[in-house]
């Protein structure tokens, strides 16, 4: 077994604290990764505090993992010790159903195995995430990272990156399309970078007036304050695509009304309450709502290769693991520019 240091939530009411446990010995198809950096996703906070229900403790959050390969199992050919690799939101799936065979492991018929907050496929081991020194993962769920990119700034691509890249691609975002990105946080800022790199005209739709200059620096040409009723009214039927990354409970119908005929509302944000959606706003313009969860392993590698080619990474604030509870507080205040990334050397 591999001794592993980490930070864990021991209950939904307690702060994250130091925690030691063991990773499994390598199976034939496993990769042992020494973790260098791990991004801090709002999903980590939702789950540590059991905001979606069913959380399992002790919980080591973290699913934006980058590091170096330490060792590989006997049948692994894609990776060797020293390689830079990443691990994202899932670490296993049945690898056998129609979804898995279509490289959509995240929609596995049998349910994907999350990187943490769930049982592994043996039905008894609690999966533990990336706020830790080491992780052992089946090779299909490990991706390669180019050494041409800043490793810390790559970490958020493993969740925030793929979660925005995948639906923007699925919605067919191309040059000249009008794309709105709601919420300029971890996911939102990656959505802006990708949509702009695909050639779209990007508008950030935000509750924070202070983020306007950053929105434009990140690639948006326009900024819409969602609390400005007049400005919102002027955007009725304006957008081809709106990507909603908001983490808090909110009204989706206002964004539907901003979509043109057959416009698409892409939902990736995961507030805890089920929202009301007006059927009239939907039918009036044959509008489409699309939900999307991360991306498959093939598409995650494609996204990372695209990022290497176009030199796209996340804007990060690197923190020590001891700062994690403060980072959660700042995330709740929408005070993140634009992703916290933990330097695991501080563990
Ligand atoms: P984040 O960094 O905290 O950003 C969320 C942003 O939402 C904030 O920066 C803020 O942007 C906006 N916001 C916050 N409260 C709001 C409110 N009351 N009304 C309107 N806007 C508000 O979070 P994140 O890590 O990007 O994650 C965003 C959501 O996506 C979370 O719910 C997370 O669980 C979910 N998620 C989903 C997937 C998936 O596969 N679908 C994957 C990862 C994460 P402004 O300041 O610009 O308003
Ligand atoms: Zn995430």
């Amino acid at each position: 077994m591999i001794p592993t240091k980490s930070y864990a939530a021991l209950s939904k009411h307690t702060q994250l604290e130091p925690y030691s446990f063991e990773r499994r010995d390598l199976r034939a198809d496993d990769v042992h990764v020494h973790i260098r950096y791990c991004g801090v996703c709002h999903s980590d906070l939702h789950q540590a505090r059991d905001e979606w229900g069913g959380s399992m403790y002790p919980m080591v959050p973290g699913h934006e993992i980058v590091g170096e390969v330490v060792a590989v199992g006997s049948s692994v050919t894609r990776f060797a010790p020293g390689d830079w690799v990443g691990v994202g939101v899932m670490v296993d799936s049945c690898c056998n159903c129609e979804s898995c065979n279509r490289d959509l492991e995240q929609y596995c018929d049998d349910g994907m195995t999350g990187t943490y907050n769930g049982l592994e496929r043996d039905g008894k081991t609690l999966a533990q995430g990336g706020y830790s020194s080491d992780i052992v993962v089946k090779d299909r769920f490990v991706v390669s990272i180019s050494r041409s990119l800043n490793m810390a700034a790559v970490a958020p691509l493993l969740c925030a990156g793929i979660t925005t890249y995948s639906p923007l691609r699925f919605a067919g975002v191309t040059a000249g399309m009008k794309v709105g990105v709601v919420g300029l946080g971890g996911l939102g800022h990656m959505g802006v970078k990708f949509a702009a790199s695909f050639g779209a005209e990007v508008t950030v739709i935000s509750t924070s007036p202070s983020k306007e200059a950053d929105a434009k620096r990140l690639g948006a040409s326009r900024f819409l304050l969602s609390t400005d009723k007049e400005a919102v009214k002027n955007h009725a039927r304006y957008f081809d695509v709106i990507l909603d990354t908001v983490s808090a409970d909110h009204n989706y119908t206002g964004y539907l009304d901003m979509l043109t005929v057959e416009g698409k509302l892409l939902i990736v944000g995961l507030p805890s309450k089920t929202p009301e959606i007006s059927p009239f706003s939907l039918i009036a313009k044959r509008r489409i709502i699309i939900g999307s969860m991360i991306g498959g392993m093939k598409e995650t590698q494609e996204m990372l290769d695209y990022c290497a080619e176009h030199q796209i990474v996340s804007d990060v604030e690197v923190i020590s693991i001891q700062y994690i509870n403060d980072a959660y507080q700042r995330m709740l205040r929408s005070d993140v520019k634009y992703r916290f990334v933990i330097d695991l050397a501080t563990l």
Side-chain angles (χ1 to χ4, degrees):
M1 302 289 269
I2 300 165
T4 302
K5 290 198 282 183
S6 75
Y7 261 53
L10 302 185
S11 81
K12 67 176 175 183
H13 300 297
T14 50
Q15 301 222 316
L16 270 63
E17 56 189 272
Y19 174 72
S20 294
F21 65 104
E22 290 181 323
R23 300 283 189 189
R24 66 172 178 262
D25 288 324
L26 265 66
R27 300 173 188 145
D29 58 354
D30 273 340
V31 180
H32 173 187
V33 183
H34 180 62
I35 303 176
R36 298 261 315 269
Y37 298 98
C38 183
V40 179
C41 179
H42 208 113
S43 302
D44 299 346
L45 190 159
H46 286 310
Q47 293 175 91
R49 302 198 171 170
D50 199 19
E51 290 172 0
W52 298 334
S55 281
M56 299 168 87
Y57 302 93
M59 180 194 301
V60 179
H63 58 209
E64 295 186 334
I65 298 166
V66 291
E68 277 175 55
V69 173
V70 177
V72 297
S74 56
S75 68
V76 174
T77 53
R78 284 170 56 225
F79 302 104
D83 286 354
W84 283 20
V85 294
V87 176
V89 178
M90 54 186 168
V91 287
D92 211 347
S93 69
C94 84
C95 301
N96 208 15
C97 68
E98 197 184 326
S99 296
C100 289
N101 288 334
R102 287 177 59 205
D103 294 306
L104 297 170
E105 300 93 339
Q106 75 275 35
Y107 305 126
C108 173
D109 288 355
D110 205 29
M112 69 170 204
T113 303
T115 303
Y116 66 88
N117 192 23
L119 294 179
E120 293 182 5
R121 296 194 98 72
D122 63 6
K124 54 180 193 224
T125 310
L126 197 50
Q128 299 291 19
Y131 298 1
S132 61
S133 57
D134 296 84
I135 192 165
V136 174
V137 182
K138 187 191 265 194
D139 61 347
R140 176 169 176 159
F141 295 86
V142 179
V143 284
S144 293
I145 289 168
S146 163
R147 284 178 183 264
S148 72
L149 298 172
N150 173 323
M151 197 197 247
V154 167
L157 301 178
L158 276 302
C159 174
I162 186 60
T163 299
T164 50
Y165 180 93
S166 181
L168 290 170
R169 284 287 198 214
F170 184 74
V173 169
T174 49
M177 282 172 81
K178 294 186 168 112
V179 174
V181 176
V182 190
L184 196 63
L187 267 58
H189 94 291
M190 289 313 306
V192 169
K193 290 189 186 208
F194 285 130
S197 82
F198 299 161
E201 176 209 276
V202 182
T203 304
V204 165
I205 306 171
S206 170
T207 59
S208 307
S210 62
K211 293 182 182 172
E212 178 164 1
D214 279 345
K216 295 193 172 153
R217 179 179 56 76
L218 293 165
S221 53
R222 308 171 73 259
F223 184 85
L224 174 57
L225 197 59
S226 51
T227 48
D228 179 345
K229 290 206 174 92
E230 198 55 35
V232 168
K233 218 167 99 199
N234 290 338
H235 284 77
R237 301 181 303 284
Y238 184 83
F239 296 103
D240 299 298
V241 171
I242 293 180
L243 176 69
D244 185 325
T245 75
V246 173
S247 52
D249 297 318
H250 65 291
N251 173 7
Y252 290 78
T253 299
Y255 301 122
L256 275 179
D257 292 335
M258 287 193 233
L259 289 171
T260 180
V261 176
E262 293 171 2
K264 295 169 185 153
L265 177 63
L266 310 177
I267 296 192
V268 293
L270 289 168
S272 52
K273 280 205 198 108
T274 305
E276 281 179 25
I277 287 173
S278 160
F280 292 94
S281 290
L282 268 178
I283 68 152
K285 299 282 177 281
R286 193 151 75 179
R287 293 171 172 128
I288 302 158
I289 298 180
I290 298 173
S292 186
M293 183 166 70
I294 48 170
M297 296 317 301
K298 189 172 168 215
E299 193 176 37
T300 303
Q301 187 65 63
E302 175 194 306
M303 178 268 315
L304 286 165
D305 295 345
Y306 179 87
C307 287
E309 192 185 330
H310 297 265
Q311 291 293 301
I312 294 174
V313 286
S314 190
D315 284 30
V316 300
E317 179 175 338
V318 177
I319 59 169
S320 68
I321 187 79
Q322 293 77 16
Y323 187 72
I324 187 65
N325 294 302
D326 298 304
Y328 278 10
Q329 284 309 118
R330 281 182 54 194
M331 196 148 63
L332 285 173
R333 296 196 301 267
S334 301
D335 176 23
V336 191
K337 290 188 171 166
Y338 277 89
R339 197 59 141 187
F340 291 117
V341 170
I342 304 164
D343 177 353
L344 272 317
T346 60
L347 190 59

